């Protein structure tokens, strides 16, 4: 009888006692309140700097969103994409997907500088980049979501990972889907996250083959609206003009909405990697149609998929570091 009373007493203490180790346990995964005590103004600071940058240059919203995507698909969301080359580190900025196209680094540095003044060596560059991607979406009219926080920054970069893991505009549908699956993402995430191409620009070099030689037969891509193709050729010649910019969504180029999917249905997706969502797989084609019909459905899934992508193998606890500056590791 005494033993049973002691057991009940111990059980009640375990169940109802306040959790004095909660912070320790929470340190191993991400949650939105991570900086509530250590840096309560961090989200306010990030949003302020992003808003200023996007007001100055609307294209910056897409650039920051893309930077987060290109970070997460390499070694996880660890700010490795932000590192310059130094010592043994070869910067991911030199990789094929990033060279002459990845941008927004100075905005992240400006945010980091402001956050460091408020809370020194507390907030990671990886979290700043993740918050900036969410704020870029909201500022252009897209959905909002609570961003799980608590990532730490990498101590290195991977140019090979950047070259091999990031989906390319000319990849086949199966290659792109495989790259998503290797990161724990599925076909729904692929179609929803591709919707980020509702804002931003692309270079001529990223879609030229669709205009002149899609399958090696010297002909344009038959899945591309021919009037649209003719319009694109005026500024994307067979040779030269590699860096000429074209809006990804010609209907509402700086507004985050579902026109991207409507454009695909009209055979006016700019990149091959966009149009194949409609032409190469029935499941993805059905999702394109659903998101074209319902902006709300697209927004809901985009937010879910962004949280999921932001959770790709983060460094937590004592792994990695909190960089003082985002472009280099601490001494």
């Amino acid at each position: 009888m005494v033993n049973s009373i002691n057991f009940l007493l111990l059980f009640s203490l375990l169940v109802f006692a306040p959790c004095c180790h909660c912070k320790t346990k929470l340190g191993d995964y991400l949650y939105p309140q991570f900086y509530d005590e250590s840096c309560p103004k961090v989200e306010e600071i990030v949003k302020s700097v992003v808003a200023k940058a996007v007001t100055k240059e609307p294209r910056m919203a897409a650039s920051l969103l893309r930077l987060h995507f290109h970070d997460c698909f390499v070694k996880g969301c660890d700010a490795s994409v932000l590192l310059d080359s130094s010592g043994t580190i070869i910067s991911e900025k030199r990789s094929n997907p990033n060279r002459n196209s990845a941008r927004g680094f100075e905005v992240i540095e400006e945010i980091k500088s402001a956050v460091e003044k408020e809370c020194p060596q507390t907030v990671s560059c990886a979290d700043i980049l993740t918050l900036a991607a969410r704020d870029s979406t909201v500022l252009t009219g897209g959905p909002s979501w609570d961003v799980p926080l608590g990532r730490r920054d990498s101590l290195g970069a991977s140019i090979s990972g950047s070259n091999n893991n990031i989906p390319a505009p000319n990849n086949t549908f199966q290659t792109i889907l495989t790259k998503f699956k290797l990161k724990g993402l599925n076909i729904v995430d692929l179609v929803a996250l591709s919707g980020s191409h509702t804002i931003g620009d692309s270079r001529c070099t990223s879609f030229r083959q669709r205009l002149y030689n899609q399958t090696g037969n010297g002909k344009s891509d038959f899945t591309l609206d021919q009037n649209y193709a003719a319009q694109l050729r005026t500024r994307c010649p067979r040779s030269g003009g590699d860096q000429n910019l074209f809006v990804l969504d010609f209907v509402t180029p700086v507004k985050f909405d579902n026109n991207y999917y409507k454009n695909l249905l009209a055979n006016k997706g700019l990149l091959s990697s966009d149009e194949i969502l409609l032409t190469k797989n029935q499941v993805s084609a059905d999702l394109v149609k659903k998101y074209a019909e319902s902006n709300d459905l697209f927004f809901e899934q985009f937010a879910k998929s962004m949280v999921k992508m932001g959770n790709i193998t983060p460094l937590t606890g004592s792994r990695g570091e909190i960089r003082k500056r985002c472009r280099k590791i601490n001494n």
Side-chain angles (χ1 to χ4, degrees), residues 48-309:
S48 171
V49 178
V50 172
K52 186 178 73 172
V54 172
T55 299
K56 183 180 176 184
E57 184 192 14
R59 180 188 171 204
M60 187 54 70
S63 299
L64 292 171
L65 197 51
R66 184 173 184 257
L67 208 51
H68 177 51
F69 180 83
H70 282 209
D71 181 37
C72 294
F73 262 70
V74 180
K75 301 187 319 108
C77 309
D78 62 359
S80 62
V81 72
L82 304 177
L83 289 171
D84 288 339
S85 294
S86 66
T88 58
I89 296 171
I90 302 174
S91 176
E92 292 169 21
K93 297 174 186 179
R94 296 183 181 183
S95 72
N96 292 328
N98 293 330
R99 192 172 58 246
N100 298 325
S101 67
R103 55 199 300 279
F105 300 106
E106 70 288 348
V107 177
I108 299 300
E109 284 293 350
E110 185 180 345
I111 297 169
K112 179 62 172 171
S113 177
V115 170
E116 282 296 304
K117 285 176 186 169
E118 180 72 23
C119 341
Q121 277 200 276
T122 303
V123 180
S124 68
C125 298
D127 277 344
I128 286 171
L129 186 51
T130 309
L131 287 168
R134 189 271 311 272
D135 292 342
S136 294
T137 304
V138 175
L139 286 161
T140 47
S144 186
W145 59 91
D146 289 334
V147 176
L149 300 165
R151 298 166 192 78
R152 287 167 67 84
D153 299 324
S154 73
L155 298 170
S158 174
I159 191 168
S160 62
S162 188
N163 279 323
N164 298 323
N165 299 351
I166 296 170
N170 303 329
N171 281 161
T172 65
F173 177 86
Q174 198 52 53
T175 297
I176 293 171
L177 182 59
T178 298
K179 287 179 177 182
F180 268 72
K181 285 183 173 177
L182 287 170
K183 297 299 173 185
L185 303 173
N186 59 33
I187 195 166
V188 177
D189 301 312
L190 164 58
V191 180
L193 292 172
S194 294
S196 62
H197 286 176
T198 176
I199 56 174
D201 302 335
S202 183
R203 297 175 297 159
C204 164
T205 186
S206 296
F207 61 86
R208 174 183 280 124
Q209 90 292 340
R210 297 193 75 199
L211 304 180
Y212 301 102
N213 193 24
Q214 176 66 357
T215 57
N217 62 359
K219 295 182 180 178
S220 63
D221 186 346
F222 72 91
T223 67
L224 181 63
D225 178 89
Q226 291 308 299
N227 290 328
Y228 184 44
Q231 186 184 334
L232 294 171
R233 284 190 201 99
T234 62
R235 288 186 52 246
C236 186
R238 198 178 288 270
S239 63
D242 285 8
Q243 305 302 318
N244 289 353
L245 293 175
F246 296 76
V247 293
L248 286 159
D249 171 4
F250 68 93
V251 180
T252 50
V254 293
K255 186 171 188 291
F256 200 102
D257 57 25
N258 67 337
N259 271 317
Y260 164 81
Y261 300 102
K262 294 177 183 178
N263 294 341
L264 297 189
L265 294 178
N267 300 117
K268 293 180 179 179
L270 185 62
L271 305 178
S272 173
S273 55
D274 294 325
E275 201 61 51
I276 58 176
L277 298 178
L278 182 68
T279 60
K280 297 297 183 182
N281 181 281
Q282 192 56 53
V283 175
S284 67
D286 288 343
L287 287 165
V288 167
K289 290 167 189 170
K290 280 182 182 177
Y291 298 152
E293 287 169 10
S294 173
N295 199 58
D296 289 345
L297 192 66
F298 163 48
F299 277 19
E300 182 185 345
Q301 186 56 54
F302 184 80
K304 287 178 183 174
S305 294
M306 282 295 287
V307 170
K308 196 170 169 186
M309 184 178 78

